[in-house]
Amino acid sequence: MNPYAKLTFLMSLMLGTTITASSNHWVSAWAGLEINTLAIIPLISKSHHPRAIEAAIKYFLVQAAASTLLLFSSMINAWHTGQWDITQLNHPTLSLLLTTAIAMKLGLVPFHFWFPEV
């Protein structure tokens, strides 16, 4: 892989992490998580081995499903509270959906079955 491309992907990872950690708005937190997802996929599949491609596809599918769940829970939360603020998560079902989405993104139990293969 080109060293400039690798540097760009690593800088994108740091940027996405910084955006996610410093956001107070659900959409900016989601955007930071998506920047991380799009930056890590080329790093996973840089060796053109079939196992690396399979791992990148599994990673993408799990992260896309978790992002969809995260956006769904934040959209329903904004509908209930009238705000997109992260600190206004009061509904218990929405808290469960958000926790599930974050657990899927992090590969926590019981959503960890994809993690060892990637």
Side-chain angles (χ1 to χ4, degrees):
M1 178 180 279
N2 186 353
Y4 293 118
K6 191 173 184 178
L7 178 67
T8 302
F9 292 133
L10 291 174
M11 293 299 288
S12 295
L13 276 173
M14 289 189 286
L15 175 70
T17 303
T18 304
I19 289 172
T20 303
S22 65
S23 65
N24 358 341
H25 196 270
W26 283 112
V27 176
S28 61
W30 171 78
L33 290 172
E34 288 305 306
I35 289 171
N36 278 345
T37 299
L38 292 176
I40 197 76
I41 288 174
L43 293 175
I44 291 174
S45 64
K46 73 178 177 181
S47 67
H48 296 290
H49 191 270
R51 297 285 291 172
I53 303 298
E54 178 186 357
I57 290 171
K58 284 180 185 178
Y59 181 82
F60 175 74
L61 291 176
V62 170
Q63 295 299 316
S67 290
T68 304
L69 193 58
L70 183 108
L71 275 179
F72 177 71
S73 66
S74 63
M75 184 179 62
I76 299 298
N77 182 52
W79 185 40
H80 280 285
T81 63
Q83 299 180 33
W84 283 90
D85 192 26
I86 286 179
T87 60
Q88 299 295 324
L89 192 62
N90 299 330
H91 200 272
T93 305
L94 299 175
S95 297
L96 180 66
L97 281 174
L98 181 74
T99 304
T100 303
I102 292 173
M104 282 177 68
K105 280 199 157 294
L106 292 174
L108 298 176
V109 174
F111 306 106
H112 68 288
F113 296 111
W114 65 273
F115 195 72
E117 295 176 8
V118 172

